[in-house]
Amino acid sequence: FCKRGDADLQFLLNGGELIKIRSTSWKKNRFFKLQEDCKTMWHESRKIFKKNQTFSIDDIDSVRMGRQSEGLNKHTDTSVEEQCFSIIFKARKKNLDLMAPSREEAKRWVSGLNKIINNLHNLSRQQKSEHWIINCMRKADKNEDNKMTLKELKHFLRQINIEVDDTYAADIFKRCDKSNSGSLEGSEIKHFYDLLTHREEIDVIYGKYAETEGQMSTRDLLNFLLNEQREQASFEDALKLIEKYEMDGTAKEKKHMTKDGFLMFLVQEEGSIFNPAHKHVYQDMSQPLNHYYISSSHNTYLMEDQLKGPSSTEAYIKVLMKSCRCVELDCWDGANGEPVIYHGYTLTSKVLFRDVIKAIKDFAFKTSDYPVILSLENHCSVDQQKLMAHHLISMLGDALVTKPLGNTMPTNFPSPEELKGKFLIKGNNTIEEDTVSEEDEAADCKENGQKAKSKKSKIKLAKELSDIVIYCKSVHFNGFEHAKDNQAFYEMSSFKESKAFNLAETSATAFMHHNMDKLSRIYPAGSRTDSSNYNPVPMWNVGCQIVALNFQTPSKEMYLNQGRFLPNGFCGYILKPEFQRSLSSQFDPNTLTRGPWLKRKIFHVMPSSYQKSTRTSKNPLWTLWLESEIYGVPADNASKETHHINNNGFNPMWNQTFQFNIQVPELALVQFVVEDYDSTSQNDLIGQYCLPLTSVQNGYRHVPLLTKRGDVICSAGLFVHLMLLDAQ
């Protein structure tokens, strides 16, 4: 992936001076350059104990040209817009805000970094694993003589989380040291590498089907596809796979696939657990807006907890780049007549309303073209509300929906397709309105130390602001019967989690019917001051669309949210099942009476093995343990666990088989969780992956793994065998 003749790459390898910006007064010259491995950036530091600092290209989430970070917006002038760029990191690492000497150099830094990031991303998992192992070997070679002693070999094995006794390590070393020189070099290191990366489970599968001169012919590969992977496949399909993944020229000429080519195929898109047809928008996007689950964020402005953490425009950018389609803005009167956003009655910091709107405008449609709902929690005076309306109208322009679509009075929501590239405002549109805010609820929790009691307060609304609330007018919920007779389709209620869970348990069918022609928003309890989350699945089970979660908090609930919205092009909208949209449906997830939702399946899961990349656990050695889980209607919820494998975090094998009985597959989510098992304390997460059961591919599949914050672990994954069958 590192093409030495590439001009952009050479520019990065040569490096250059950049100004690192932390504040208006802290702007320092620092030298940056790409290291020779083409995977690590080096930069000088003036810290006494950290003269040289590095970061991995894999740790970069994105590179933004211009003053598109909160820091650069605050601390630089518009005149240097084209010289500025930001490196945005995964997880919680701070952005790196930089300024180049010229516009041309800034563009070269950005284009060069993006090229390296894309090249790394396009490497297969197998190639990334090989790069990582070779890098670990280099680190183990302490004296840099391109040889490996027995002591260095043992150090290397510990680096990749393999614990072996001295006798076994000496045996491996002896088998590879053909020259009896006391160190491994050249072909001996290659032999050691081959022994280390040997995949026994792949040998078995390949050996079963490779019936032509010890290799897979096109016909052999077709037999594998039809028997193990697909219901339908053609000779041409098999031939295309050989052309795409076979690296051996002689084998490719014979239209054969070697074991290396077969392994390359298995770890690519065609061999993934996730159906590649679902990577793009494939669902009908012309249904009314309320017929979709909508990826939604709660208190979007917060980066951490609900009491004293920072508020930031960066929080909005992060969720929008994850295709979140409903964001929340808690608006309060600010200094100098400018409204601000923060969590009222707390010590959270404040961010200007206009800065948030600018960030939303700039990033709303980077990853999805479908509409974004701005959920306004309004606590402002009339004058500052007028300014809010001005900012929304002037900054969002024609993208803001300010009147119903079409020329006639609507009786239903427009579709996501009709609203592409548009913003909807959710809020009150009656000039004087009784309101119950989430902040009031949270304040009650703090004051009383008990369950919040909702308190109503009168708020006057500026006509300019109320006039742009078109399809999402906030109203109080007064029961399903009252809503059926008195609530227009564009009037929507918000439910705190305790109320919503009670309704989902006691009145599930009525709740589902309510959501067939109206929108419902669910939000976390005010007592969740640590920004924890509730389980969103029971809310989706009754057809709730806007199930708002604290995106800033890595948790099992957020893994489920990411899995729910993974298909359909990761666009933030998922079409609800037909039985949650049909007026004749009597579906109740709690009782499961007979109906079209009952499509009983048996799901067989055989976790075979795990291959790892860089160490992400606190422990030097891992004891790996895998949990396979189903989340859906209560009858389908289940969890199965493997035995734990001691001191092998590199390539453990389980070969266990689990069976799950599924009643309502259209609502089921499958989750895999790999942890470092600890019998005395909480397990450490190694990686996780979640997806809808309807997006699972049968057969031998690789499962990518994500960090707790949802970033792909580049060269780690599971190898599993899956079969989803109709129940007899």
Side-chain angles (χ1 to χ4, degrees):
F1 74 94
C2 200
K3 298 175 183 175
R4 297 288 167 170
D6 185 277
D8 287 327
L9 174 63
Q10 197 56 52
F11 177 81
L12 295 182
L13 288 168
N14 292 338
E17 288 275 345
L18 294 169
I19 298 175
K20 184 178 177 181
I21 298 169
R22 284 188 183 165
S23 68
T24 306
S25 59
W26 199 102
K27 297 176 182 178
K28 310 286 186 183
N29 284 328
R30 296 288 185 263
F31 193 86
F32 285 76
K33 67 174 291 187
L34 180 68
Q35 293 196 316
E36 288 298 316
D37 65 359
C38 297
K39 294 177 64 178
T40 311
M41 286 295 296
W42 172 92
H43 61 100
E44 65 176 326
S45 171
R46 301 295 163 86
K47 293 180 180 177
I48 295 173
F49 297 109
K50 289 188 177 180
K51 289 289 184 185
N52 300 314
Q53 290 193 317
T54 61
F55 58 85
S56 170
I57 298 293
D58 271 336
D59 291 337
I60 298 176
D61 181 66
S62 61
V63 183
R64 296 183 199 153
M65 186 72 192
R67 298 164 61 250
Q68 292 201 62
S69 73
E70 191 169 40
L72 288 175
N73 257 316
K74 275 185 182 178
H75 308 311
T76 62
D77 189 76
T78 54
S79 62
V80 295
E81 175 80 35
E82 295 183 327
Q83 293 171 243
C84 294
F85 67 97
S86 297
I87 297 175
I88 313 301
F89 293 99
K90 298 170 184 175
R92 283 192 176 177
K93 189 174 179 180
K94 288 182 180 177
N95 299 345
L96 190 53
D97 291 328
L98 302 165
M99 186 167 71
S102 67
R103 169 195 175 192
E104 290 71 26
E105 284 193 57
K107 288 178 77 172
R108 292 200 73 179
W109 277 104
V110 172
S111 63
L113 285 168
N114 280 328
K115 186 176 286 187
I116 287 288
I117 292 166
N118 289 334
N119 288 348
L120 269 175
H121 178 75
N122 291 333
L123 286 178
S124 72
R125 199 180 81 207
Q126 184 69 15
Q127 289 169 316
K128 287 174 183 173
S129 184
E130 288 173 5
H131 277 288
W132 174 71
I133 290 170
I134 290 166
N135 196 42
C136 287
M137 283 180 167
R138 284 176 180 154
K139 288 180 180 177
D141 182 14
K142 295 294 186 183
N143 59 1
E144 299 182 359
D145 62 355
N146 294 321
K147 298 178 182 180
M148 187 176 284
T149 64
L150 177 58
K151 182 179 179 181
E152 288 172 335
L153 179 138
K154 286 157 69 173
H155 176 71
F156 165 70
L157 290 173
R158 288 187 67 84
Q159 265 193 304
I160 61 172
N161 288 314
I162 296 180
E163 174 74 354
V164 295
D165 61 34
D166 289 347
T167 304
Y168 182 67
D171 180 57
I172 295 177
F173 189 85
K174 187 175 180 181
R175 285 162 63 190
C176 297
D177 185 15
K178 304 293 186 185
S179 62
N180 295 315
S181 64
S183 61
L184 307 183
E185 57 183 308
S187 61
E188 294 170 337
I189 292 178
K190 172 71 166 65
H191 184 210
F192 169 69
Y193 172 81
D194 290 341
L195 284 175
L196 188 69
T197 56
H198 178 239
R199 296 277 302 275
E200 183 181 333
E201 73 280 21
I202 302 299
D203 283 356
V204 172
I205 301 164
Y206 187 78
K208 180 180 176 181
Y209 287 95
E211 297 183 338
T212 309
E213 302 171 15
Q215 295 179 341
M216 273 188 179
S217 67
T218 309
R219 178 63 59 186
D220 295 338
L221 180 57
L222 177 60
N223 289 337
F224 168 79
L225 294 174
L226 290 171
N227 291 333
E228 306 288 358
Q229 298 275 49
R230 308 177 184 179
E231 291 183 8
Q232 293 181 321
S234 66
F235 191 85
E236 288 69 29
D237 292 333
L239 195 56
K240 284 178 183 176
L241 291 174
I242 292 172
E243 287 294 324
K244 190 173 182 180
Y245 296 118
E246 183 50 59
M247 304 302 291
D248 185 289
T250 304
K252 188 179 282 192
E253 279 185 21
K254 294 180 178 179
K255 298 181 174 53
H256 285 189
M257 183 174 268
T258 62
K259 188 166 65 177
D260 285 344
F262 182 64
L263 179 56
M264 189 70 75
F265 150 63
L266 286 177
V267 298
Q268 293 296 325
E269 182 178 87
E270 291 91 342
S272 172
I273 185 175
F274 180 55
N275 186 343
H278 293 185
K279 279 188 71 175
H280 310 286
V281 174
Y282 72 97
Q283 294 182 330
D284 177 7
M285 301 303 286
S286 63
Q287 300 275 331
L289 193 71
N290 62 306
H291 283 191
Y292 298 82
Y293 305 126
I294 303 172
S295 181
S296 305
S297 162
H298 169 253
N299 285 1
T300 312
Y301 47 89
L302 292 176
M303 299 286 282
E304 296 172 10
D305 64 65
Q306 307 278 315
L307 295 179
K308 59 186 187 313
S311 304
S312 172
T313 57
E314 195 62 43
Y316 287 90
I317 295 170
K318 284 182 182 296
V319 304
L320 290 168
M321 293 301 286
K322 291 180 178 178
S323 295
C324 176
R325 300 290 87 186
C326 179
V327 296
E328 186 174 12
L329 300 86
D330 288 348
C331 309
W332 299 78
D333 281 354
N336 303 316
E338 280 286 350
V340 295
I341 292 174
Y342 85 113
H343 199 200
Y345 309 124
T346 70
L347 299 175
T348 57
S349 66
K350 300 172 182 178
V351 59
L352 287 174
F353 179 83
R354 69 174 183 222
D355 288 348
V356 168
I357 300 305
K358 182 182 184 302
I360 290 172
K361 178 193 175 186
D362 290 344
F363 288 89
F365 305 112
K366 295 276 191 186
T367 57
S368 171
D369 293 331
Y370 291 100
V372 172
I373 300 169
L374 307 186
S375 180
L376 301 185
E377 187 95 12
N378 179 16
H379 305 271
C380 291
S381 62
V382 170
D383 284 344
Q384 294 211 11
Q385 288 178 50
K386 289 178 181 178
L387 192 53
M388 285 168 59
H390 169 75
H391 289 325
L392 288 165
I393 293 166
S394 63
M395 295 172 77
L396 301 182
D398 292 341
L400 180 65
V401 175
T402 57
K403 61 181 181 180
L405 273 59
N407 300 316
T408 58
M409 184 59 68
T411 57
N412 206 346
F413 287 100
S415 69
E417 191 66 32
E418 292 172 295
L419 291 166
K420 263 186 173 180
K422 297 292 186 182
F423 294 98
L424 302 177
I425 304 299
K426 173 195 165 292
N428 298 319
N429 76 347
T430 306
I431 298 303
E432 187 167 301
E433 185 83 30
D434 283 340
T435 65
V436 181
S437 76
E438 293 176 35
E439 277 77 7
D440 291 336
E441 181 198 336
D444 276 352
C445 283
K446 286 183 286 181
E447 289 167 13
N448 303 329
Q450 59 188 9
K451 224 178 221 182
K453 296 176 183 176
S454 297
K455 57 184 182 184
K456 293 183 181 180
S457 58
K458 290 274 187 185
I459 185 167
K460 286 191 173 182
L461 297 178
K463 185 177 185 301
E464 293 87 341
L465 189 60
S466 66
D467 281 352
I468 57 176
V469 176
I470 307 300
Y471 289 110
C472 301
K473 179 193 173 184
S474 300
V475 296
H476 298 306
F477 177 72
N478 293 307
F480 293 125
E481 285 302 317
H482 181 272
K484 184 178 178 182
D485 297 333
N486 299 284
Q487 198 170 316
F489 78 89
Y490 55 82
E491 295 179 316
M492 61 175 291
S493 299
S494 291
F495 303 83
K496 61 184 176 183
E497 64 173 275
S498 57
K499 176 74 171 175
F501 273 80
N502 181 56
L503 291 170
E505 191 172 328
T506 60
S507 309
T509 304
F511 206 167
M512 183 189 67
H513 275 272
H514 176 82
N515 291 321
M516 285 182 186
D517 66 349
K518 298 173 183 67
L519 288 167
S520 290
R521 175 177 173 270
I522 318 300
Y523 61 90
S527 56
R528 292 186 182 273
T529 55
D530 59 352
S531 294
S532 58
N533 282 307
Y534 57 90
N535 180 4
V537 175
M539 300 297 95
W540 293 324
N541 286 347
V542 291
C544 295
Q545 303 89 351
I546 301 177
V547 182
L549 298 176
N550 290 307
F551 269 57
Q552 73 271 34
T553 306
S555 60
K556 183 158 283 192
E557 296 80 16
M558 275 306 301
Y559 308 158
L560 294 171
N561 193 75
Q562 188 168 14
R564 166 61 68 206
F565 292 99
L566 179 65
N568 207 32
F570 196 52
C571 75
Y573 285 84
I574 295 291
L575 185 64
K576 295 193 284 186
E578 172 67 24
F579 58 79
Q580 288 191 338
R581 295 180 277 126
S582 171
L583 293 174
S584 62
S585 173
Q586 291 302 307
F587 173 68
D588 184 331
N590 304 309
T591 59
L592 292 185
T593 53
R594 284 190 173 276
W597 45 85
L598 280 180
K599 299 174 183 175
R600 293 187 175 91
K601 304 279 184 182
I602 297 174
F603 187 40
H604 295 278
V605 179
M606 188 181 85
S608 177
S609 62
Y610 164 81
Q611 294 78 46
K612 79 163 289 291
S613 64
T614 52
R615 180 182 299 143
T616 53
S617 171
K618 293 179 291 188
N619 298 327
L621 295 166
W622 291 349
T623 295
L624 284 195
W625 175 78
L626 170 67
E627 188 173 20
S628 303
E629 300 166 295
I630 300 291
Y631 291 87
V633 299
D636 289 345
N637 293 335
S639 176
K640 311 277 187 179
E641 303 164 1
T642 64
H643 57 270
H644 52 268
I645 296 177
N646 293 325
N647 298 333
N648 183 356
F650 178 67
N651 58 357
M653 294 180 65
W654 290 288
N655 290 326
Q656 291 178 253
T657 302
F658 304 141
Q659 178 177 310
F660 297 94
N661 297 310
I662 311 292
Q663 310 299 313
V664 187
E666 289 175 275
L667 290 177
L669 294 167
V670 184
Q671 184 168 51
F672 297 91
V673 180
V674 181
E675 294 182 321
D676 182 6
Y677 175 81
D678 192 325
S679 60
T680 59
S681 63
Q682 187 173 353
N683 296 342
D684 288 334
L685 177 74
I686 303 300
Q688 52 81 25
Y689 190 74
C690 180
L691 76 168
L693 184 65
T694 50
S695 292
V696 168
Q697 294 198 100
N698 277 344
Y700 287 103
R701 300 291 172 183
H702 83 263
V703 181
L705 290 175
L706 311 180
T707 66
K708 65 181 182 179
R709 294 196 174 276
D711 300 313
V712 176
I713 303 173
C714 291
S715 51
L718 297 168
F719 188 60
V720 299
H721 187 267
L722 308 162
M723 289 302 293
L724 183 63
L725 305 170
D726 291 331
Q728 297 297 320

